[in-house]
Amino acid sequence: MISVAARDDSTRGPAVGYADPLGEPFLRTRFAVPARPGTFVRRPRLTAHLDQALDTPLTMVNGAAGAGKTLLVADWAAGLGQPVAWLTNEAGDQGPGMFWAYVLHALHTAGTPLPAGIGGSPEGIRMVDHRLLARLADELNGRDRPAILVLDEFDRLAAPETAEQLEFVLHHAGRGLRLILVTRTEPLLPLHRYRAAAAMTEIRNQELAFTPEEAADLLARHGLRLPAHAARALVERTGGWAAGLRLSALAAQQSTDPQTYLKEFEAGHSTIADFLLAEVVGRQPPETQDLLLRVSVLDRFGPELAEALTGRPDAGPLLAGLCRQNAFVEDLGHSWYRLHPLFGEILGVHLRARSPGLEPELHRRAARWLRAHGAVPEALAHGAAAADWECTAGVLVDDLAIGRLLTGLHADDLTRLFSGMGPEATGAAVDLVRAARELSEHDLDHGLAHLGRAEESLAPGATTAAGRLSCVLLESLAARLTGSPDRAEQAVSEAARLRREVPAHLLAKHPELTALLHTHLGSARVWAGHFDEARAALTEVADLPGDALTELPREDCLGHLALIDYFDGRPDRAESRALAATDATRHCGGRPFPGAGLGQLVLAAVAVDRDELGRARALLAEAAEYGPGPGVPDPVTEAYRALVTGRLHLALGDPAAAAHAAGPAVRTQVTSPWAEANAALAAAAVLLAEGRPGRAAEVLDGIERPGGPVCAAEVAWARLAAGHREEAVETAGRLCTEGRTGPGVTVRATLVLARAAAEAGDTGTARKLLARALLEARRDRLRRPFLDAGPGIRRLLDTPPLHGLAAGWLYGDGPGADSPPLLVEELSGREREVLGRLAQMMSTQEIAADLYVSVNTVKTHLKSIYRKLGVGRRGDAVRRARERGLL
């Protein structure tokens, strides 16, 4: 035993020899405060925390290998300005006797007075006399200034007896000892008592992690300058692990492109891997090494999941032990863990090298366990990693999550996850996923084929209600895309029945399912011209609270509701809803919906009605940018795009282009009344422009249902222009008296009645009707109907009373008397070219030569220009054109 002489207060001083109890010399390096390298980064936030060690009996700096614990404490100790007893422990020291011999020598080396008679003997390696501990504690307790003892690598001491003895000395030394333990694991001391008494200072692994600013400083000391975002990325990848950052910096110094190296280095083939495999993995027994390698395929894991991958029943204790050892296994709480990201990356590489072919099997086991325990996102990821597509698709379908391939922020992620699914994968769930993916990507033929195969496999009673409900959801989308309202109605009715068989928690978890069903039903009803029924379905979705999973369906429904409002002749309400839809388009993520861009199309139609043709053109382009674009098989969007484009061409004086745009190539099961009527109106406009009113009337007679009040008013106007006055007046009169429509309808219908009255010679009635139309159109600035009304209406509008009603909005911003006269019709492109040459003072012959046309053709264009501008001479035409902003 280590002998203790009788206490003699008069004799104090060095009593410890220079040999350990085995008779070997003490190794001076174990008592030296480690030197800091030139690249060392001083971290004031941590040294300030360590200053609290002077006020608490116990301090613990607890972190993983290479976390920077030792250098941190060494830097703090060097800056204290007072002696620090330092002891670096080593594995293999034989028992408490050897430990205390080294502790006493450390205190002696630091100049701490010890009682006379304390010395070493060979017997001391077998036991420590209790009197020694009592004398030492008493000596320390009597000091005016506490001794500071740092025990580095304390985790290397395995004997519980040593910890008990150390606790005895620490407790009885009182304020005379400040003990600092630097360790990878929690020591076997009653830490709970020190924590409860606020008598302990702790710095743990998380606090030891480098911040991006500290990492940038460290790299700079290695001659590497990284921008802030690159330093943050490196810290994220390494978890701020000090050794990882230093080793990365050293390796990057050898690279010709350090910044790219630090961004893309292969952790599994680096000095970092060597360090971790030796310092962490190599220290573990074989069964623990196997556990670490197998869980490296997981982002997070608990004991049961680890047991499923290893087949070992003791995974729980092993994981808890690794976490206590700071072996790069982090505790997430509730018995869940994760590997340090860089450690996991390295273990994954090591797993593939050590056990080729095992990784897919581990992913498969993980997917099945996670599926059974309801962890859907993780099960999907592991199923895909294992290429077990039947399982992966089954997870998605059984969770009722098929709609997430169609909407939400992660729709693209799910699509990418299934991108590796080859033709060899089979099964009803696989066909459903393929159908959803292809329909969402607007591949109608393949999507319908896979949906048909899935329906054949999903026999009632043989499959889950979730699977059949997923199929019905895709049926509603297919019905929408094929223009089949009856099919959509049947799908939603079947969905209502199946919902009763699906667990309530699944329905609550997936609000997008109901939102998608009603959205597709509403769109199919709009296509069929059933606007009231469509409004009921669409409003249910539009009124939903904001949610990432339902945002895209809400945007789609708002666009459709705006379209219905426009067809009802309510441009103000249509504009308001369309703006809400376009705002959602810009701010919500996910893939473009079939109806994306519909809000911009409605705004473009309103812009045409207001004669804001430049804005209408820009909105059409924006609709193509935000939406899936032309060619997508969504009947409502494509037909309405054609309608708006055609109206813009008509407003620009090009009826042939309008007729060409009015016939979109959309395959549908049912013909839409409003789409069919629009195509007929465009064709009739061409015939009227060609001077063939009889043929135009025949085309108009083929319209069975106009498809909305606005369309009915436009048909009435076209019939009047074709010479069918009675039918036009009857339709217009009915539209004016119905009371359910807005100014977009009543203004057009009233203008039909006004023109009919003017042509019948009833000027007074015509003026009264025009006054009513002006008053109704003024609030919504509906200019286009008046521009299309013809020269007879223009002459009436030029009379003082009506001119006053038009002032400030129809003519321009100036007062009525000074405003330029109304442009009755838009100039064609060729007429603008002729007008431009008129302004250059070119003669008729010069214009003809410049445009490569005949002189008679130029004269015909001049007559048309004079008529549209309301002038009779060249000079007046140029002046009027400048007033109207045409030159």
Side-chain angles (χ1 to χ4, degrees):
M1 66 180 177
I2 297 177
S3 61
V4 180
R7 178 164 180 167
D8 183 356
D9 294 338
S10 63
T11 58
R12 299 178 183 271
V16 181
Y18 292 96
D20 68 20
L22 291 178
E24 298 179 359
F26 286 113
L27 298 174
R28 297 183 181 181
T29 53
R30 294 182 62 180
F31 306 104
V33 176
R36 278 80 63 213
T39 56
F40 176 76
V41 174
R42 180 166 286 106
R43 299 196 277 171
R45 65 182 178 89
L46 295 179
T47 52
H49 191 171
L50 268 177
D51 285 341
Q52 298 175 22
L54 300 175
D55 300 319
T56 58
L58 177 62
T59 294
M60 182 177 67
V61 181
N62 186 353
K69 309 178 295 295
T70 297
L71 290 181
L72 167 66
V73 178
D75 181 57
W76 173 78
L80 273 182
Q82 65 183 88
V84 173
W86 187 285
L87 172 59
T88 300
N89 294 283
E90 291 184 352
D93 282 353
Q94 299 178 27
M98 185 67 76
F99 167 75
W100 283 106
Y102 269 86
V103 167
L104 291 171
H105 192 75
L107 291 168
H108 163 74
T109 301
T112 302
L114 297 175
I118 292 182
S121 74
E123 298 298 321
I125 62 174
R126 288 190 291 272
M127 62 176 292
V128 176
D129 192 316
H130 181 73
R131 288 177 297 171
L132 165 70
L133 302 178
R135 286 288 306 278
L136 177 60
D138 184 54
E139 174 66 27
L140 292 171
N141 186 272
R143 287 176 57 84
D144 296 331
R145 188 175 190 180
I148 300 173
L149 173 61
V150 177
L151 298 180
D152 190 18
E153 300 196 38
F154 188 75
D155 50 279
R156 290 180 178 270
L157 297 178
E161 184 182 358
T162 302
E164 292 177 8
Q165 294 167 351
L166 187 62
E167 157 60 12
F168 174 83
V169 172
L170 180 62
H171 176 70
H172 291 286
R175 297 185 57 83
L177 177 63
R178 296 292 179 254
L179 177 62
I180 300 172
L181 304 181
V182 182
T183 178
R184 296 186 189 183
T185 63
E186 288 207 352
L188 298 175
L189 297 174
L191 301 181
H192 61 283
R193 291 212 308 260
Y194 288 94
R195 288 171 179 144
M200 181 177 174
T201 299
E202 288 186 83
I203 295 180
R204 304 185 71 84
N205 209 47
Q206 187 174 4
E207 192 177 355
L208 288 166
F210 272 61
T211 66
E213 294 75 20
E214 291 167 348
D217 190 3
L218 175 64
L219 294 169
R221 290 171 183 270
H222 286 79
L224 303 172
R225 301 286 179 180
L226 283 189
H229 69 88
R232 282 195 299 273
L234 182 61
V235 167
E236 184 175 347
R237 187 176 182 193
T238 60
W241 178 45
L245 290 168
R246 289 192 180 94
L247 292 171
S248 298
L250 290 170
Q253 286 178 324
Q254 312 304 316
S255 172
T256 56
D257 186 355
Q259 186 169 335
T260 301
Y261 173 85
L262 290 172
K263 180 181 179 182
E264 301 175 358
F265 70 89
E266 296 182 55
H269 303 284
S270 65
T271 54
I272 301 175
D274 297 337
F275 179 93
L276 285 174
L277 291 174
E279 287 291 321
V280 180
V281 180
R283 286 190 173 196
Q284 306 299 332
E287 62 273 14
T288 305
Q289 292 186 28
D290 181 68
L291 171 69
L292 286 170
L293 288 171
R294 288 173 179 258
V295 298
S296 68
V297 303
L298 301 166
D299 290 330
R300 65 186 187 107
F301 44 87
E304 292 182 5
L305 178 53
E307 288 171 9
L309 268 61
T310 62
R312 296 184 60 85
D314 59 348
L318 290 178
L319 289 173
L322 287 166
C323 191
R324 284 194 301 271
Q325 295 169 31
N326 279 317
F328 293 87
V329 176
E330 302 171 6
D331 188 354
L332 299 177
H334 304 288
S335 296
W336 282 89
Y337 305 90
R338 70 178 176 192
L339 295 174
H340 182 284
L342 207 59
F343 188 42
E345 192 177 338
I346 291 166
L347 287 174
V349 173
H350 196 50
L351 170 68
R352 289 186 284 276
R354 179 168 158 177
S355 304
L358 178 59
E359 187 176 15
E361 174 58 26
L362 294 173
H363 281 298
R364 186 175 292 106
R365 293 184 192 179
R368 291 171 180 171
W369 189 92
L370 290 162
R371 179 183 184 180
H373 290 79
V376 174
E378 293 96 329
L380 288 170
H382 288 288
D388 188 347
W389 299 113
E390 187 174 2
C391 171
T392 309
V395 170
L396 193 75
V397 172
D398 288 347
D399 188 61
L400 208 60
I402 196 78
R404 298 197 179 180
L405 274 166
L406 310 176
T407 184
L409 296 177
H410 302 296
D412 287 335
D413 294 338
L414 280 174
T415 300
R416 281 191 293 271
L417 184 140
F418 283 100
S419 62
M421 187 168 63
E424 72 283 353
T426 58
V430 169
D431 280 324
L432 279 174
V433 168
R434 284 196 178 113
R437 190 177 64 186
E438 287 153 358
L439 290 174
S440 71
E441 293 172 351
H442 320 302
D443 184 349
L444 194 55
D445 290 336
H446 287 96
L448 292 175
H450 284 297
L451 181 57
R453 278 195 286 274
E455 288 172 335
E456 291 174 3
S457 305
L458 290 168
T463 52
T464 64
R468 300 199 302 279
L469 187 53
S470 299
C471 189
V472 167
L473 170 61
L474 297 182
E475 268 290 314
S476 71
L477 174 57
R480 169 191 183 160
L481 297 180
T482 57
S484 306
D486 289 343
R487 185 178 182 182
E489 298 285 355
Q490 183 178 355
V492 174
S493 176
E494 177 67 6
R497 185 187 67 78
L498 287 170
R499 284 170 63 93
R500 294 192 288 270
E501 301 179 26
V502 174
H505 74 275
L506 275 184
L507 293 172
K509 181 181 176 182
H510 294 288
E512 75 277 3
L513 184 133
T514 301
L516 289 168
L517 282 166
H518 284 90
T519 299
H520 299 328
L521 175 63
S523 183
R525 286 173 174 175
V526 168
W527 177 250
H530 302 153
F531 296 142
D532 289 340
E533 294 88 340
R535 185 183 287 107
L538 296 166
T539 302
E540 284 194 36
V541 183
D543 289 344
L544 289 173
D547 185 285
L549 292 171
T550 57
E551 190 61 30
L552 283 173
R554 281 189 71 250
E555 171 215 325
D556 200 11
C557 289
L558 286 169
H560 280 76
L561 288 169
L563 175 58
I564 295 172
D565 288 333
Y566 181 82
F567 282 153
D568 281 346
R570 304 187 184 280
D572 55 340
R573 192 156 64 187
E575 182 179 45
S576 176
R577 279 187 167 140
L579 286 171
T582 58
D583 184 63
T585 300
R586 294 185 182 97
H587 290 95
C588 66
R591 65 176 62 256
F593 221 56
L598 193 53
Q600 283 92 341
L601 294 176
V602 172
L603 292 174
V606 173
V608 171
D609 287 347
R610 292 172 178 167
D611 198 38
E612 298 167 353
L613 304 186
R615 182 167 185 265
R617 189 181 290 109
L619 285 163
L620 278 169
E622 188 177 318
E625 176 187 351
Y626 282 104
V632 173
D634 182 57
V636 171
T637 306
E638 282 301 276
Y640 194 61
R641 188 193 311 278
L643 185 155
V644 179
T645 305
R647 285 188 176 171
L648 178 59
H649 284 305
L650 281 175
L652 292 171
D654 194 347
H660 177 73
V666 179
R667 295 176 299 167
T668 57
Q669 298 294 319
V670 173
T671 301
S672 171
W674 55 269
E676 187 178 40
N678 174 63
L681 282 167
V686 173
L687 294 168
L688 289 170
E690 293 174 350
R692 301 164 64 188
R695 183 72 186 94
E698 292 176 9
V699 171
L700 294 170
D701 287 341
I703 299 176
E704 296 181 5
R705 291 188 297 155
V710 165
C711 189
E714 290 172 340
V715 170
W717 183 265
R719 288 187 187 280
L720 180 64
H724 288 207
R725 181 179 299 172
E726 290 183 6
E727 294 95 326
V729 169
E730 179 184 357
T731 300
R734 185 176 67 253
L735 290 171
C736 287
T737 57
E738 277 184 348
R740 296 178 62 244
T741 55
V745 174
T746 54
V747 168
R748 287 178 170 88
T750 302
L751 284 173
V752 170
L753 299 176
R755 178 170 170 176
E759 290 176 352
D762 190 352
T763 305
T765 299
R767 284 198 180 98
K768 289 178 182 178
L769 289 167
L770 279 175
R772 185 191 306 166
L774 286 167
L775 288 171
E776 288 199 50
R778 181 164 57 186
R779 189 186 70 176
D780 292 295
R781 306 187 307 283
L782 300 177
R783 301 184 182 94
R784 195 72 236 168
F786 295 92
L787 299 179
D788 293 336
I793 296 297
R794 180 188 63 79
R795 286 191 292 272
L796 289 174
L797 286 171
D798 277 343
T799 58
L802 294 178
H803 199 275
L805 289 174
W809 67 275
L810 186 58
Y811 293 125
D813 295 328
D818 299 327
S819 298
L822 180 69
L823 177 64
V824 175
E825 291 181 55
E826 194 77 23
L827 299 181
S828 69
R830 180 63 82 179
E831 288 167 352
R832 287 175 179 268
E833 291 177 346
V834 171
L835 182 62
R837 285 157 178 79
L838 278 184
Q840 298 173 27
M841 304 299 289
M842 295 173 67
S843 67
T844 304
Q845 290 77 13
E846 289 171 333
I847 295 173
D850 197 41
L851 295 176
Y852 297 98
V853 297
S854 69
V855 171
N856 285 336
T857 299
V858 174
K859 289 180 178 179
T860 300
H861 286 315
L862 288 173
K863 288 179 182 179
S864 179
I865 291 169
Y866 296 163
R867 177 180 61 81
K868 290 180 178 181
L869 293 177
V871 298
R873 294 183 301 179
R874 287 178 171 232
D876 291 339
V878 173
R879 178 180 55 79
R880 184 66 53 80
R882 288 194 172 115
E883 290 173 348
R884 298 291 301 170
L886 300 176
L887 290 173

